[in-house]
Amino acid sequence: MSVQFFIFFFTWGVFLPYWTGYLTNVKDLSVASASVIMGAGMIARAFSTLILFPELTKRYSIHLFLRMLAIGSLATFVLYIPLSSFTMLLLITILFSLVYPNLLPAMESSASLLMQKDRIHYGRSRSFGSAGFMAAVLVIGFATARYGEQAILWVMIGALAFVVLATALKAPTALIDKPKKEHQVSTWQLAKVLLQQKEFLIALTIVILIQGSHASYNSYSFIYLQDIGVSNSWIGVIINVAVLAEIVLFMLADRIFGKSKVQTMFMIAAIGATVRWIAIWLFPFASVFVATQVLHAITFGLAHYAFIQFIARTLHKSSIPTAQGLYAAFAMSLSSALLTFMGGYLYDLQPGLAFLGMAVFSVPAIILILAQRSKLQA
């Protein structure tokens, strides 16, 4: 799990913060056009992780599914090389987003299964993912400083090739066992059952609001830092401040928050997100942006850790892939897609507004946690 988390998040560290910059600087798209492409990709990702992911995990073992996803991701991504028109870039992004993002819930489901069966330390293993993200940001920062934004494409292709190799490693028995068909029900039935559980619905809504509020940060940090005069090599270092903080969080999470209530962890994350987005809007300086990067450990890391702990503590193993699919679809994809569209519009008006707009979603998370604290006892 540690190896796979590291390699996958290396690719995530290339694609998530830099791909909008690649589309605007290399493919000559406007910020608004790039936002449409990235947002459409996130909508495709939501559909894929919600529908395709849980359905395919019923047909194949998690380990085999990971290998299929890795090969499919590499095969589709190379199509970016010859394409340059808005329409074709939109289509290939949608196709890529139907495959590649499923690697994340597949790995998280693997971790959840191993937490239940082999009692692995999730926080320690997941910290390798943060380390991979940090390594990618450093590599891209210096590669773009020397070779230009075109380097983003080639580093991503090379990293996806390593994902293919990583998913070929021998897996634990829990991950190679085929699903038992006699115990299967449809994805919609499982999703309906989960969403009818008020505690699960509240937790999912809270994490949707918190993680969705990272949309502008994920899509526009690279170009925002460029706009306020930061060089590409330093952008990589600045982005890595957040990843380093996240690594520390995941390494210590089991010890510090392993027995904490989910509502407490969500509250810390929601307050941190609100402070973070307002601070970036109020103070458009590189020094302030760097300072707010430390908050990433709680705005993203702790919110994610809280939800993973929630499903591990409360759900049967048969429901975990569906829960991961709902989380990936709504909290990590659909909410980000909609807020990326909004963030692109606000960014064209004034860059700082794209971040302030995100607080409109983190504040309701605080209110919901306070109103429903009795329902989050896990």
Side-chain angles (χ1 to χ4, degrees), residues 332-344:
M332 305 298 285
S333 302
L334 190 58
S335 62
S336 292
L338 298 177
L339 296 185
T340 296
F341 290 135
M342 186 186 82

Side-chain angles (χ1 to χ4, degrees), residues 316-339:
H316 186 269
K317 66 178 182 179
S318 62
S319 299
I320 287 176
T322 301
Q324 287 285 359
L326 289 168
Y327 174 56
F330 290 105
M332 305 298 285
S333 302
L334 190 58
S335 62
S336 292
L338 298 177
L339 296 185

Side-chain angles (χ1 to χ4, degrees), residues 128-180:
F128 279 82
S130 300
F133 193 101
M134 184 172 68
V137 171
L138 281 177
V139 169
I140 288 294
F142 288 104
T144 55
R146 182 164 184 175
Y147 301 108
E149 279 74 14
Q150 184 67 39
I152 298 170
L153 173 73
W154 298 107
V155 172
M156 183 68 175
I157 290 174
L160 285 172
F162 275 102
V163 174
V164 174
L165 294 176
T167 54
L169 296 174
K170 185 178 180 180
T173 303
L175 304 184
I176 60 177
D177 288 340
K178 291 184 178 180
K180 295 181 180 179

Side-chain angles (χ1 to χ4, degrees), residues 36-38 40-41 44 76 79-80 83 85-98:
V36 170
I37 289 176
M38 296 301 288
T76 54
L79 296 176
Y80 275 112
L83 302 178
S85 69
F86 171 82
T87 301
M88 295 307 297
L89 289 170
L90 175 64
L91 291 176
I92 190 56
T93 299
I94 292 173
L95 179 61
F96 180 65
S97 298
L98 289 172

Side-chain angles (χ1 to χ4, degrees), residues 172-372:
T173 303
L175 304 184
I176 60 177
D177 288 340
K178 291 184 178 180
K180 295 181 180 179
K181 294 184 178 180
E182 62 269 20
H183 296 144
Q184 292 180 7
V185 295
S186 73
T187 299
W188 288 114
Q189 287 176 307
L190 283 172
K192 183 178 179 181
V193 170
L194 284 174
L195 294 175
Q196 287 176 338
Q197 298 176 18
K198 191 170 183 180
E199 186 179 20
F200 178 82
L201 182 59
I202 293 169
L204 181 63
T205 302
I206 291 169
V207 81
I208 285 171
L209 293 170
I210 297 173
Q211 302 293 38
S213 76
H214 288 76
S216 287
Y217 172 76
N218 291 334
S219 295
Y220 308 118
S221 290
F222 178 52
I223 58 176
Y224 174 78
L225 290 170
Q226 285 183 323
D227 286 343
I228 61 175
V230 180
S231 67
N232 283 2
S233 57
W234 278 108
I235 289 175
V237 174
I238 289 173
I239 291 177
N240 261 337
V241 172
V243 186
L244 183 60
E246 184 181 307
I247 290 174
V248 173
L249 182 281
F250 283 126
M251 290 181 66
L252 301 177
D254 293 326
R255 186 189 312 169
I256 299 175
F257 297 105
K259 296 182 180 180
S260 297
K261 291 184 178 180
V262 169
Q263 70 176 70
T264 301
M265 292 186 280
F266 276 151
M267 179 60 78
I268 295 171
I271 293 174
T274 303
V275 171
R276 187 182 185 187
W277 311 137
I278 292 176
I280 294 174
W281 169 66
L282 284 176
F283 309 103
F285 310 114
S287 58
V288 173
F289 194 94
V290 171
T292 62
Q293 288 289 79
V294 178
L295 291 174
H296 194 75
I298 60 174
T299 64
F300 172 80
L302 187 57
H304 176 79
Y305 181 83
F307 190 76
I308 296 298
Q309 286 292 325
F310 173 80
I311 64 175
R313 295 175 187 178
T314 63
L315 301 183
H316 186 269
K317 66 178 182 179
S318 62
S319 299
I320 287 176
T322 301
Q324 287 285 359
L326 289 168
Y327 174 56
F330 290 105
M332 305 298 285
S333 302
L334 190 58
S335 62
S336 292
L338 298 177
L339 296 185
T340 296
F341 290 135
M342 186 186 82
Y345 172 76
L346 292 175
Y347 195 96
D348 277 342
L349 294 177
Q350 199 275 322
L353 289 177
F355 295 93
L356 178 63
M358 300 300 102
V360 175
F361 296 87
S362 58
V363 170
I366 297 173
I367 297 172
L368 182 58
I369 295 166
L370 290 173
Q372 301 293 336

